[in-house]
Amino acid sequence: MQLLSSFLKHNKTDDDLVEVIEVLMIACKEVALQLREGALAGVLGTSTLTNVQGETQKKLDIVSNDIIKKVLLDNRLVRGVASEEEDEPVWGDRDGRFLVTFDPLDGSSNIDINVSVGTIFSIIEAPKPWAKQETEEFLQSGRKQIAAGYVLYGPSAVLALTTGKGVNMFTLAHTGDFILTEENVTIPKETSEFAINMSNRRFWEPAMQSYIDDLIAGAEGPREKNYNMRWVASMVAEVHRVLTRGGIFTYPWDNRDPSKPGKLRLMYEGNPMSLLIEQAGGGATTCYDDILDVQPEHIHQRVSVALGSIKEVETLKAYHREGKKN
Ligand code: P6P
């Protein structure tokens, strides 16, 4: 059995990066404990607060955000953090090397029904030289990430991590150690499983309507095979399924609010998940461009997301290139 820290050192990971990842895992272990306690810890239900996204915050959104924020900012290597639950970046040691963005508890609408949720994180280097600590430092494209991952709080707590040398998974043992359980994760190139919130069909652009309709048409339709559908309403659980057995997950742009490019956030959902997927041999697109090439303009920027098995992602992009209509 190989511990997370020895795996990272064996793979010649930068010592400072190892330290920040380990510190982050201390926070995630505490979040996992809070989740396990659930109602017993009095942390279920909603708070009276709303976040910058305009979403009512679950008590555990706030609890997990505070745990992760404090642990990171107590470390000299972390210059600042940006969170889904914070309006603005929160600054730490001005000489810190790293900036960390995170969604402390993605899928939190599932907490009260005891369905899997997760912490998503992305680590980038602070640009040099930078005197003042300013938001613009965070606005780097996803290809600049030096590490990204998530901890899925499911039947077991699993860390999926990339430092740019593939994707590996570690399971949280009762000892409190993250133990290597999947090495060099590779996504199947083809799939018969798609994940989308079908209730939004009438709001999608025609190309997405055509793409999904053709999946649903199955063996009798143009794709000439049957597909299965999943929707957990927890991106971390969906991406974990894609990494584990393939598939395509998409939350595309829709016309409910045409000014928003999508529902999911680029800096702490789209970018970290896209790096994981690409590192595992999959594709991650806005339906037109690679998500990792999108140049962020603000911290809470949203993005249209389609990611998973590379051949299926290429097919989805072809529907959009050709502007396929029903
Ligand atoms: P909907 C959770 O709120 C989230 O950000 C993702 O984890 C998830 O994939 C999506 O939103 C679910 O959205 O509209 O189906 O509730």
Side-chain angles (χ1 to χ4, degrees):
M1 290 213 285
Q2 194 165 20
L3 299 179
L4 172 62
S5 49
S6 65
F7 177 86
L8 291 173
K9 286 167 188 160
H10 179 73
N11 284 276
K12 299 180 177 40
T13 309
D14 176 298
D15 289 342
D16 288 346
L17 182 58
V18 172
E19 181 174 334
V20 172
I21 291 169
E22 286 183 331
V23 156
L24 190 49
M25 289 308 108
I26 291 171
C28 290
K29 279 188 271 193
E30 178 56 30
V31 172
L33 285 173
Q34 292 286 334
L35 281 164
R36 288 275 174 271
E37 284 288 294
L40 299 175
V43 292
L44 297 187
T46 52
S47 72
T48 57
L49 307 171
T50 56
N51 63 17
V52 65
Q53 327 289 341
E55 297 162 342
T56 302
Q57 290 177 301
K58 297 285 189 184
K59 288 178 190 168
L60 265 172
D61 280 327
I62 297 166
V63 167
S64 53
N65 185 63
D66 290 348
I67 291 168
I68 297 169
K69 180 175 61 173
K70 178 174 181 346
V71 163
L72 286 172
L73 294 179
D74 279 354
N75 186 282
R76 62 184 170 75
L77 293 166
V78 178
R79 179 175 162 87
V81 301
S83 163
E84 176 180 345
E85 304 302 338
E86 299 283 345
D87 296 7
E88 301 298 331
V90 184
W91 297 103
D93 187 320
R94 63 182 305 113
D95 297 322
R97 261 185 76 184
F98 302 112
L99 301 171
V100 185
T101 68
F102 60 90
D103 181 353
L105 215 55
D106 181 70
S108 54
S109 61
N110 284 319
I111 292 172
D112 295 350
I113 58 169
N114 206 24
V115 168
S116 299
V117 293
T119 296
I120 310 172
F121 61 89
S122 169
I123 303 174
I124 52 180
E125 299 237 39
K128 293 278 185 292
W130 198 291
K132 284 172 50 192
Q133 290 167 302
E134 293 182 330
T135 300
E136 284 68 22
E137 307 185 22
F138 283 89
L139 304 183
Q140 303 180 38
S141 78
R143 298 218 181 273
K144 296 283 181 62
Q145 297 173 99
I146 56 170
Y150 59 76
V151 175
L152 173 62
Y153 309 108
S156 58
V158 175
L159 163 66
L161 175 69
T162 183
T163 58
K165 303 171 191 165
V167 175
N168 299 285
M169 294 183 177
F170 306 81
T171 300
L172 181 59
H174 65 281
T175 57
D177 298 301
F178 278 96
I179 310 284
L180 180 67
T181 42
E182 285 295 328
E183 198 166 355
N184 197 20
V185 173
T186 305
I187 300 174
K189 293 192 184 318
E190 299 190 341
T191 184
S192 303
E193 197 162 59
F194 70 98
I196 193 166
N197 183 336
M198 283 300 294
S199 67
N200 298 326
R201 185 189 179 287
R202 63 191 182 283
F203 305 125
W204 302 333
E205 59 180 306
M208 183 55 82
Q209 290 174 336
S210 296
Y211 169 71
I212 296 293
D213 290 351
D214 288 352
L215 297 183
I216 291 170
E220 297 74 38
R223 300 300 306 274
E224 298 179 329
K225 75 175 183 178
N226 294 327
Y227 283 78
N228 201 354
M229 197 198 92
R230 291 285 182 274
W231 191 249
V232 186
S234 175
M235 185 185 195
V236 180
E238 315 270 12
V239 170
H240 192 73
R241 185 187 57 248
V242 169
L243 283 171
T244 305
R245 67 184 192 213
I248 185 165
F249 162 85
T250 179
Y251 209 112
W253 172 91
D254 68 50
N255 62 25
R256 284 177 287 179
D257 180 346
S259 66
K260 280 184 187 170
K263 172 181 183 182
L264 303 177
R265 275 64 55 150
L266 176 65
M267 297 302 292
Y268 38 81
E269 291 171 328
N271 276 344
M273 293 310 208
S274 297
L275 186 62
L276 284 168
I277 293 292
E278 285 203 4
Q279 283 285 314
T285 178
T286 63
C287 297
Y288 297 94
D289 305 304
D290 288 358
I291 288 171
L292 292 178
D293 291 334
V294 174
Q295 177 52 46
E297 288 162 14
H298 57 87
I299 283 283
H300 299 297
Q301 175 170 336
R302 295 173 187 265
V303 67
S304 170
V305 174
L307 55 79
S309 295
I310 188 73
K311 289 198 172 176
E312 199 54 47
V313 169
E314 290 306 324
T315 301
L316 177 145
K317 286 164 63 179
Y319 272 73
H320 286 76
R321 264 199 312 277
E322 293 153 20
K324 280 213 172 179
K325 296 179 174 31
N326 272 335

